[in-house]
């Protein structure tokens, strides 16, 4: 069972439950990650020092509030550290999420995928103004976003019913790109029609018609 507000990562692939996924799409990035050692968060040391000094707190006073040693506070402030969830929650209760590295699942994929490894469809989405990524092990092949507009795209000549359910759940739009003949009752384009799109607004307008 995938927990709310937790990002699971295995071999570079992120997994989230629908609630957490929706938060991420709304730019409410999560900072808790599931690893082999358990649930952890990455603490930003310089940010912790900045907030402590802003409150005019000594390392000793902060250590008492958190129930850890002054030496550990200094260690945290001298670099970014992965800490267990229990300790992260104590720091969160004092300073909120600004002292933690928030996980942008879309930025991660962009930084680790070379341009020539992206699908031609993702490249086209990016070209016309979307931020897009290929996906794996889900009922859609591409996720793309422009401002608050989110499109989940399936490439192929069959309609996946799960795609419609997911888009309704997270209030996104769906699009199917057919290689051959396309149906008329769903948001669908043939491959050549998709590649003829020149800007994001043109595609968004097309989908709105459905």
């Amino acid at each position: 069972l995938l927990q709310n507000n937790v990002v699971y990562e295995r071999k570079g692939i992120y997994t989230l439950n629908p609630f957490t996924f929706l938060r991420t799409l709304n730019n409410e990035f999560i900072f808790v990650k599931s690893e082999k050692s358990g649930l952890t968060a990455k603490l930003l040391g310089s940010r912790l020092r900045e907030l402590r000094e802003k409150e005019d707190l000594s390392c000793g006073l902060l250590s008492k509030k958190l129930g850890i040693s002054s030496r550990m506070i200094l260690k945290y402030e001298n670099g970014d550290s992965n800490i267990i969830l229990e300790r992260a929650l104590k720091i969160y209760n004092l300073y909120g999420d600004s002292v933690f590295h928030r996980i942008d699942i879309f930025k991660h994929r962009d930084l680790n995928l070379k341009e020539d490894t992206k699908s031609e469809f993702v490249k086209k989405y990016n070209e016309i103004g979307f931020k897009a990524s290929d996906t794996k092990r889900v009922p859609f092949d591409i996720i793309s976003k422009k401002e608050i507009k989110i499109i989940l795209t399936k490439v192929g000549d069959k309609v996946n019913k799960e795609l419609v359910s997911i888009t309704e759940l997270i209030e996104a739009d769906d699009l199917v790109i057919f290689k051959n003949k396309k149906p008329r009752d769903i948001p669908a384009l043939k491959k050549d029609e998709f590649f003829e799109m020149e800007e994001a607004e043109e595609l968004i307008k097309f989908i709105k018609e459905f």
Side-chain angles (χ1 to χ4, degrees), residues 15-154:
T15 304
L16 308 85
N17 70 13
F19 173 82
T20 310
F21 185 52
L22 179 58
R23 286 197 61 193
T24 302
L25 291 175
N26 290 328
N27 294 322
E28 300 173 21
F29 297 119
I30 310 305
F31 62 86
V32 178
K33 181 187 290 188
S34 174
E35 299 181 325
K36 290 183 179 180
S37 58
L39 298 180
T40 65
K42 188 173 184 179
L43 180 65
L44 303 176
S46 60
R47 178 62 175 162
L48 178 64
R49 182 190 298 112
E50 177 187 340
L51 293 176
R52 177 181 64 79
E53 292 176 347
K54 186 176 181 179
E55 291 188 336
D56 199 25
L57 277 180
S58 66
C59 288
L61 285 174
L62 181 57
S63 69
K64 288 180 181 179
K65 286 189 175 186
L66 298 177
I68 58 178
S69 67
S70 298
R71 182 177 297 180
M72 187 60 72
I73 295 292
L74 289 173
K75 180 182 177 181
Y76 286 163
E77 291 185 350
N78 287 328
D80 297 342
S81 308
N82 287 322
I83 60 177
I84 61 173
L85 182 60
E86 181 182 1
R87 191 162 292 170
L89 289 176
K90 289 182 179 180
I91 298 174
Y92 174 82
N93 288 334
L94 285 177
Y95 297 120
D97 63 3
S98 68
V99 294
F100 297 100
H101 169 71
R102 284 170 283 184
I103 306 166
D104 183 345
I105 63 173
F106 307 109
K107 184 177 180 181
H108 176 91
R109 295 184 67 86
D110 286 343
L111 290 176
N112 288 276
L113 284 177
K114 295 180 179 179
E115 186 64 25
D116 57 5
T117 65
K118 297 177 184 178
S119 72
E120 58 182 331
F121 299 99
V122 164
K123 291 178 182 178
K124 180 62 180 180
Y125 264 118
N126 291 335
E127 179 186 315
I128 63 176
F130 285 89
K131 184 178 182 182
S133 292
D134 293 299
T135 62
K136 293 181 180 180
R137 300 179 184 177
V138 289
F140 49 93
D141 298 303
I142 301 159
I143 179 169
S144 56
K145 182 179 180 182
K146 181 174 175 59
E147 298 173 352
I148 63 171
K149 176 65 66 175
I150 301 162
I151 303 174
L152 307 183
T153 303
K154 178 69 180 174

